[in-house]
Amino acid sequence: MNILDHKVCVAPMMQYTDMHDRYLLRLISKKVFLYTEMIATGSLVYGRCFDQLEFNKEEHPIGVQLGGSDIKDLIECSKKCEDYGYNEINLNCGCPSDRVQKGRFGACLMLEANHVAECLSEMQNAVEIPVSIKCRLGIDHHESYEFLYDFVSKVKESGTKIFIIHARNGILKGLSPRQNRNIPPLKYDYVYKLKKDFPDLEIIINGGIKDLDESKNHLNKVDGVMIGRCAYDNPFMLKDVENKFYNENPIIESKKEILNKYLDYVEIKISEGHNLPKMLKHLFGLSRGDKNAKIFRLKIIEAMKENSIQPFRKELDDLLVY
Ligand SMILES: Cc1cc2nc3c(=O)[nH]c(=O)nc-3n(C[C@H](O)[C@H](O)[C@H](O)COP(=O)(O)O)c2cc1C
């Protein structure tokens, strides 16, 4: 089995980290580990929506995240994902949304550790690539470290080695998914303790990480960090990953170069029938921190409305500082 490098990962985010966003992120950092948005096994097995699995070869290394709990479906989807060329399959045990709970997947599975272990074990038996899990610290009133310890002990029996932990509880009733990303307090100390108690596991910490300096501190205590919203809102923050974490000094491309490479890609994808506004929205964050950030974003909105990019390319380039 390939050993994958999860030192810095970008979190799966529905409606955000689609194939185009991931292409953009990969232009900025070659080493960061990428994940797809969650894909429900039902939509693959029964909806035959395989276009959701499409990705660009440039995106490697990349993991696909599955949401489901039916073992037969998870096996079928895992094989399919391996055939598509993904480097890893991740099982979502962290999403608290009502829809996902009704389907018996996501965070509610944290109450079914033995079943999760069986799912992961069967998935792993079906494929050669690693299978990982992303979960919370616990759910609802199960807030103790012992709950998390017990969950991980049971799941580990499946042979799973890679655990991504969103360092807050999931509240299944009364909080929306968005509130569930902000209101339950972050408890990084649980995740650090988990690494101490299970030194043979690869523990990746997630939740509220703002920048690479903060990431560096976490990496003294765990194996990897996963950054979600901050990486989306300011993708250029990933430009120093190689330098800060790998002692490499790649030539860092300017925002203008990234913009132009991404727009070249967008033009190719338009000709293949992809939706222009969906691709352009990922550029909003590129001007983050620049003096012209607001005008840049307004220009992108104009291009989205016109459904056209060529006439806007030069202006967008001029608006970026470097
Ligand atoms: C818009 C949005 C969509 C998300 N979709 C997923 C998802 O599909 N699968 C998943 O495991 N987590 C999902 N998450 C949660 C993130 O992966 C991550 O755990 C969470 O945002 C905390 O990390 P952060 O504070 O760095 O953003 C989503 C988060 C956001 C903001």
Side-chain angles (χ1 to χ4, degrees):
M1 203 184 290
N2 285 337
I3 305 283
L4 300 171
D5 187 335
H6 296 98
K7 222 179 261 179
V8 185
C9 310
V10 175
M13 287 181 285
M14 296 253 256
Q15 317 280 330
Y16 287 70
T17 51
D18 62 15
M19 62 187 287
H20 311 304
D21 181 53
R22 298 187 309 255
Y23 187 91
L24 173 67
L25 296 172
R26 181 61 73 221
L27 287 174
I28 300 168
S29 165
K30 298 288 170 256
K31 287 270 166 84
V32 77
F33 196 96
L34 300 171
Y35 285 93
T36 68
E37 308 157 86
M38 178 180 74
I39 302 173
T41 52
S43 72
L44 293 179
V45 176
Y46 307 104
R48 314 310 282 174
C49 300
F50 295 117
D51 56 336
Q52 293 175 93
L53 291 177
E54 195 190 338
F55 69 99
N56 301 288
K57 63 180 182 339
E58 291 83 355
E59 291 173 44
H60 289 293
I62 174 166
V64 55
Q65 188 185 61
L66 294 178
S69 63
D70 180 281
I71 294 181
K72 202 167 80 14
D73 292 353
L74 282 166
I75 292 174
E76 184 179 335
C77 291
S78 298
K79 287 183 179 159
K80 198 91 194 165
C81 292
E82 184 172 50
D83 291 346
Y84 263 76
Y86 284 100
N87 302 102
E88 176 186 319
I89 301 166
N90 178 266
L91 182 65
N92 182 322
C93 292
C95 178
S97 85
D98 286 346
R99 187 180 60 83
V100 158
Q101 280 179 64
K102 281 197 191 104
R104 192 195 167 201
F105 59 101
C108 62
L109 289 178
M110 288 197 77
L111 291 176
E112 298 189 62
N114 291 329
H115 182 68
V116 171
E118 199 182 341
C119 291
L120 289 165
S121 161
E122 295 287 342
M123 289 162 76
Q124 191 61 82
N125 287 339
V127 296
E128 298 288 324
I129 53 176
V131 175
S132 63
I133 177 172
K134 179 168 182 277
C135 64
R136 298 271 181 150
L137 299 180
I139 52 171
D140 294 336
H141 61 282
H142 298 286
E143 292 182 62
S144 65
Y145 176 74
E146 286 65 39
F147 177 83
L148 178 67
Y149 179 93
D150 186 55
F151 178 77
V152 172
S153 306
K154 287 180 178 147
V155 170
K156 175 180 184 280
E157 291 306 308
S158 63
T160 303
K161 290 258 177 280
I162 308 164
F163 284 71
I164 303 168
I165 317 276
H166 181 178
R168 27 166 89 85
N169 258 43
I171 306 298
L172 297 184
K173 287 215 164 39
L175 291 189
S176 67
R178 189 192 169 95
Q179 290 171 319
N180 256 304
R181 294 191 284 267
N182 296 309
I183 294 176
L186 286 162
K187 295 181 188 166
Y188 293 140
D189 52 324
Y190 279 29
V191 188
Y192 300 157
K193 185 156 168 48
L194 208 57
K195 179 63 196 175
K196 275 199 178 138
D197 289 341
F198 298 97
D200 56 323
L201 297 182
E202 191 175 346
I203 304 287
I204 299 157
I205 194 166
N206 165 243
I209 303 173
K210 292 194 181 50
D211 55 37
L212 296 186
D213 288 334
E214 234 181 79
S215 303
K216 205 155 195 157
N217 289 336
H218 286 300
L219 287 173
N220 292 325
K221 302 192 176 96
V222 291
D223 304 293
V225 295
M226 174 178 268
I227 310 174
R229 288 162 288 186
C230 285
Y232 187 85
D233 293 343
N234 178 14
F236 208 55
M237 73 176 276
L238 298 172
K239 73 178 179 354
D240 293 322
V241 164
E242 283 71 16
N243 184 326
K244 272 198 158 65
F245 300 102
Y246 295 91
N247 288 327
E248 289 176 10
N249 284 309
I251 298 163
I252 295 178
E253 301 200 49
S254 65
K255 286 189 179 182
K256 284 179 190 285
E257 284 165 318
I258 302 286
L259 173 77
N260 283 301
K261 284 189 178 171
Y262 184 67
L263 291 180
D264 290 345
Y265 161 87
V266 165
E267 293 203 20
I268 294 169
K269 290 291 169 188
I270 298 171
S271 69
E272 291 172 8
H274 286 265
N275 177 294
L276 179 66
K278 279 190 179 166
M279 293 189 278
L280 289 185
K281 74 172 188 178
H282 302 310
L283 285 172
F284 282 139
L286 193 62
S287 61
R288 181 90 174 199
D290 294 357
K291 66 174 182 351
N292 293 326
K294 194 166 171 205
I295 312 171
F296 180 84
R297 286 198 298 271
L298 289 173
K299 208 32 86 187
I300 289 177
I301 292 172
E302 216 179 310
M304 287 161 104
K305 282 192 187 139
E306 299 273 319
N307 204 20
S308 147
I309 190 58
Q310 254 311 326
F312 296 94
R313 283 192 69 147
K314 177 151 187 339
E315 272 179 283
L316 283 169
D317 181 287
D318 288 345
L319 283 168
L320 286 176
V321 174
Y322 51 88

